[in-house]
Amino acid sequence: MLWASMTISMANYDVNQALFLLWVLAESPTAEAEPSKVEQALTYMNSNPYIGWGIAIFAVVAMATAAIAGWTGNLGKIIEFVKTYLWPSQPAITDEQCQAQLKQLDKVVLKEVTTRLSQSLHYKVQMDIDRELQMKRVGRPEVAASSSPSEASSSRLTHRDFNPFESGNSPEPVRDELPTLKLFQHPDIKGRLLILGEPGAGKTTELLSLAQDLLQQAQQSDEHPIPVIFELSAWSTEPGKTLDDWLIAQLKDRYNVQPEVAKHWIEHHQLLPLLDGLDELRRMDGTDGDTPEELDKQRQYQQIQCLHDINTYLDLHPQTSLAVCCRRQEYEALEQQGEALRQLNGAIYLKSLDDDQIAAYFQKAGFPHRWAALKDQPELLELARSPLFLLMLLMVYQGQTITAKSALLDAYITQQLDNSNNRDAYPPGQAPTSEQTDRYLGWLAVKLKEQETTEFLIERLQPSWLDRKRDRWLYRWLFALIVALLVGLLFGLSGGLSVGLIVGLIVGLLVGLGGALGGALIVGLLVSLIVNLLVGLLVGLLFSLLFSLLVGLHFGLADIKLAEKLAFSFKKAIQNGLFYGLLSGLLSGLLSDLLFGLIVGLFVGLLVGLLVGLSVSESKIEEKKAPNQGIYYSLRSGLIVFLIVSLLFGLSDGLLSGLLSGLLFGLIGGLQAVIQHLILRFLLHRSGVAPWNYARFLEHAENHRFIQRVGGRYRFVHDLLRTRFAERYQSLEQ
């Protein structure tokens, strides 16, 4: 029975091998089994009782402390104390660092403002705009008209000279004719100004000119704050959030300014916000079923909330300067509701052009006959009172009937589209047609309106911009399939390579008997490639099914996250690498042996140190210098992470593990954003709403004077033009 039971229990062995093993064990002298690592550790602790008592006392004290702290509500304070002294955080940013970044911001913003001014359509109208000082707009009594002679009008808008106040001189009375910078800094205005005007009157150009003068002034002295233009079209409010929070978020999103730095600037009055487009908040879209009256109330409520936030911000920061731009009609609607920017100290209204100014402009441009035709058409003459529309009339008017702004904008768009001299961004015969250009720009204008922004960056394209349900479905599954095939290809290249070489060598030798060894190796390599392809494709297809379910649906239409800049902190790498390396080495040594623990500790320390030390750089003001810069930087970051991680894992766990681990970390480090962006661009181009080469197309649109570019950022030359492109696109889609 004993032999039978032993034979059954050893059914996985050959009978003869089992009998031989039993005989050897019976004949050999009894040997004591080697104690396990746990038994060795217990024996060592028994021989050193102080260790055991120390661990026991520490455990009791820790549990008692945790219980008392939890009962008294001080557990969080203790944890914070431990984190502060055992794991100290990064030191707070210094005043010197904040000041250095402020100078960087000054240079970046000055370049941006100068470029926008040089490309502005308003700036091409070399004409002075009369202004009217309207103190009542901010709740102050009107200033009595000055009897002193007016200053030269050439200093009021397009030819402003940098002329700060001279110390020791008595301040001149505030009046309409003062240059914008002097008026803004006047002791009665104190750097708090409202700029009003009609559509196309040049409010944004006035704000840009003021920003340019203030930036030049800030470069001469560190005592002056840095002006930054913020687009109120992007303004949004959340419960508990203030205008400070919004400004900080905008600086982070636009210039990569860290929140603690931006907060320092605001608290120390080193930032001068210039808020453009209070009227643009009225572009908010309502839900289905909202009546025009309900929608108008929602839009006006949003403007009132923003106006309250501005007043609160100025009340909390009494030494801070600020300027706001708004259309006259929208601001008057707020006044009728009893609202106003009462924390501002002055307001100017950019007046419409009069007949003499229009006639002089046509005479100077060499088209006096157009003024003769224009003055007898009241509707057309009314349009010409805006500098923007006056320039367009000069360019497009050929005697046709134009009675509305939309007709004038359409005439301008049509003439620019049909001008063949504007197509040199493409090789001959490859430029998009006029219809395609119109459609691409119209779709872009609609999306900018939906995103409540006036600025476009190619890398900011998001899957939520896909209009068709079918394209959104394809986006999910194409991303999952591409990543799955990459994994399968890597698996095939590593696993299939060895199989292919062995099979290929055998087949090659058989085929090449009597021939040269080189022929055998060539055949072997060919078979290897075929095996690689088949294995990789099979594994990729199988993996895609699982990956599509686990990852494809998980990502859905989530925003594409860029990984533009990498930095390496040796301090973080050494600290974390040593700690986790020693910890993992100690545990591995206890469970195995000293050599194995040393190897594991070294590997884990290197990996953790690398991943912790390698991070996204957040210390430099960001300037978008090239189109689609974010995607190119994300590709670079992802490839760097892929190569480093693949090398580390490949040296320890083999080629397959290294490649798969490198791919995983590379996707997180930037490659995922690149894949998503390419899929999105493909689907948008396939649907006919966007070009494949977006950078070249935007250069094409810039040549048509539809788009202006600042580095890698794009915007329509005027908001009215952007609005008209959106209306044209929507009318075609309906």
Side-chain angles (χ1 to χ4, degrees), residues 211-403:
Q212 187 179 49
D213 290 342
L214 290 169
L215 287 164
Q216 292 172 349
Q217 190 180 63
Q219 287 187 338
Q220 297 180 3
S221 173
D222 294 339
E223 297 179 358
H224 297 284
I226 303 299
V228 178
I229 296 179
F230 296 91
E231 306 285 350
L232 285 178
S233 59
W235 180 86
S236 62
T237 181
E238 299 178 9
K241 299 292 185 179
T242 64
L243 185 65
D244 301 56
D245 300 320
W246 182 76
L247 294 175
I248 291 172
Q250 288 292 303
L251 288 170
K252 170 62 177 173
D253 179 69
R254 183 176 178 84
Y255 301 109
N256 195 38
V257 177
Q258 294 311 294
E260 59 271 18
V261 176
K263 184 178 180 180
H264 180 277
W265 292 344
I266 292 175
E267 291 176 348
H268 291 77
H269 317 294
Q270 295 176 311
L271 191 72
L272 199 167
L274 303 178
L275 308 180
D276 190 19
L278 179 60
D279 51 278
E280 289 300 309
L281 289 172
R282 298 179 63 84
R283 295 187 294 106
M284 182 185 67
D285 294 327
T287 58
D288 294 338
D290 287 341
T291 64
E293 292 77 13
E294 293 173 339
L295 185 59
D296 189 64
K297 288 182 179 179
Q298 293 175 20
R299 292 169 174 168
Q300 195 169 81
Y301 173 77
Q302 190 182 26
Q303 281 185 324
I304 292 174
Q305 288 297 110
C306 182
L307 186 146
H308 288 171
D309 280 3
I310 295 173
N311 283 332
T312 302
Y313 174 85
L314 292 173
D315 188 46
L316 294 175
H317 304 282
Q319 299 180 30
T320 297
S321 299
L322 183 141
V324 182
C325 276
C326 186
R327 293 180 184 175
R328 175 195 57 81
Q329 184 177 359
E330 280 77 0
Y331 192 78
E332 287 182 349
L334 293 174
E335 289 180 317
Q336 293 175 1
Q337 299 295 322
E339 304 290 344
L341 290 168
R342 293 185 176 87
Q343 292 298 328
L344 298 180
N345 298 323
I348 57 173
Y349 172 68
L350 304 183
K351 300 169 68 173
S352 300
L353 302 176
D354 57 29
D355 291 356
D356 293 338
Q357 289 175 308
I358 298 173
Y361 182 76
F362 279 114
Q363 182 70 33
K364 183 179 180 180
F367 298 97
H369 60 282
R370 293 193 180 180
W371 165 245
L374 193 67
K375 63 182 180 180
D376 296 330
Q377 302 183 49
E379 297 88 354
L380 203 57
L381 181 59
E382 192 62 30
L383 290 176
R385 301 195 185 281
S386 162
L388 173 67
F389 296 138
L390 178 61
L391 175 63
M392 289 185 175
L393 281 171
L394 180 65
M395 297 176 64
V396 307
Y397 183 66
Q398 300 292 336
Q400 67 270 40
T401 302
I402 299 177
T403 59

Side-chain angles (χ1 to χ4, degrees), residues 153-258:
S153 62
S154 61
S155 64
R156 283 183 289 175
L157 183 65
T158 58
H159 300 289
R160 295 182 186 82
D161 295 325
F162 176 68
N163 187 19
F165 289 118
E166 297 179 1
S167 59
N169 293 344
S170 59
E172 52 189 321
V174 58
R175 60 178 187 269
D176 302 340
E177 296 83 2
L178 287 177
T180 306
L181 179 64
K182 277 194 173 184
L183 191 148
F184 182 76
Q185 295 179 327
H186 194 278
D188 199 33
I189 303 297
K190 299 177 182 177
R192 295 187 174 188
L193 183 67
L194 172 64
I195 301 175
L196 298 173
E198 306 299 329
K203 300 179 297 297
T204 299
T205 304
E206 186 82 356
L207 196 67
L208 288 168
S209 299
L210 175 62
Q212 187 179 49
D213 290 342
L214 290 169
L215 287 164
Q216 292 172 349
Q217 190 180 63
Q219 287 187 338
Q220 297 180 3
S221 173
D222 294 339
E223 297 179 358
H224 297 284
I226 303 299
V228 178
I229 296 179
F230 296 91
E231 306 285 350
L232 285 178
S233 59
W235 180 86
S236 62
T237 181
E238 299 178 9
K241 299 292 185 179
T242 64
L243 185 65
D244 301 56
D245 300 320
W246 182 76
L247 294 175
I248 291 172
Q250 288 292 303
L251 288 170
K252 170 62 177 173
D253 179 69
R254 183 176 178 84
Y255 301 109
N256 195 38
V257 177
Q258 294 311 294

Side-chain angles (χ1 to χ4, degrees), residues 3-147:
W3 282 106
S5 61
M6 292 181 67
T7 304
I8 294 173
S9 64
M10 301 178 67
N12 293 331
Y13 294 91
D14 184 83
V15 176
N16 294 329
Q17 292 176 336
L19 292 175
F20 177 76
L21 179 60
L22 290 175
W23 178 81
V24 170
L25 291 175
E27 294 296 329
S28 61
T30 303
E32 295 183 2
E34 182 181 354
S36 64
K37 295 296 181 182
V38 176
E39 292 174 342
Q40 294 179 20
L42 291 174
T43 302
Y44 178 76
M45 292 177 63
N46 289 331
S47 62
N48 296 274
Y50 295 105
I51 298 178
W53 280 110
I55 294 176
I57 293 173
F58 175 79
V60 172
V61 172
M63 289 187 293
T65 303
I68 296 173
W71 179 59
T72 59
N74 293 319
L75 183 59
K77 295 181 180 179
I78 294 177
I79 295 175
E80 189 65 28
F81 175 83
V82 174
K83 289 171 61 179
T84 301
Y85 288 94
L86 296 184
W87 297 98
S89 58
Q90 292 293 326
I93 190 165
T94 63
D95 292 343
E96 291 76 12
Q97 291 173 320
C98 289
Q99 195 66 28
Q101 292 195 33
L102 195 64
K103 292 182 179 179
Q104 294 178 18
L105 182 67
D106 187 0
K107 295 179 181 179
V108 172
V109 176
L110 180 58
K111 179 180 178 181
E112 175 185 334
V113 168
T114 303
T115 304
R116 287 185 60 183
L117 273 175
S118 65
Q119 298 179 356
S120 171
L121 289 179
H122 283 291
Y123 218 63
K124 299 181 184 302
V125 182
Q126 297 297 321
M127 179 180 294
D128 303 315
I129 307 298
D130 291 331
R131 297 172 308 177
E132 180 181 340
L133 194 62
Q134 298 183 348
M135 306 297 282
K136 64 179 180 180
R137 297 295 191 181
V138 293
R140 300 186 63 190
E142 292 291 356
V143 178
S146 173
S147 59

Side-chain angles (χ1 to χ4, degrees), residues 513-530:
L513 287 177
L517 182 61
L521 293 177
I522 292 175
V523 175
L525 290 175
L526 291 176
V527 175
S528 172
L529 292 175
I530 296 174

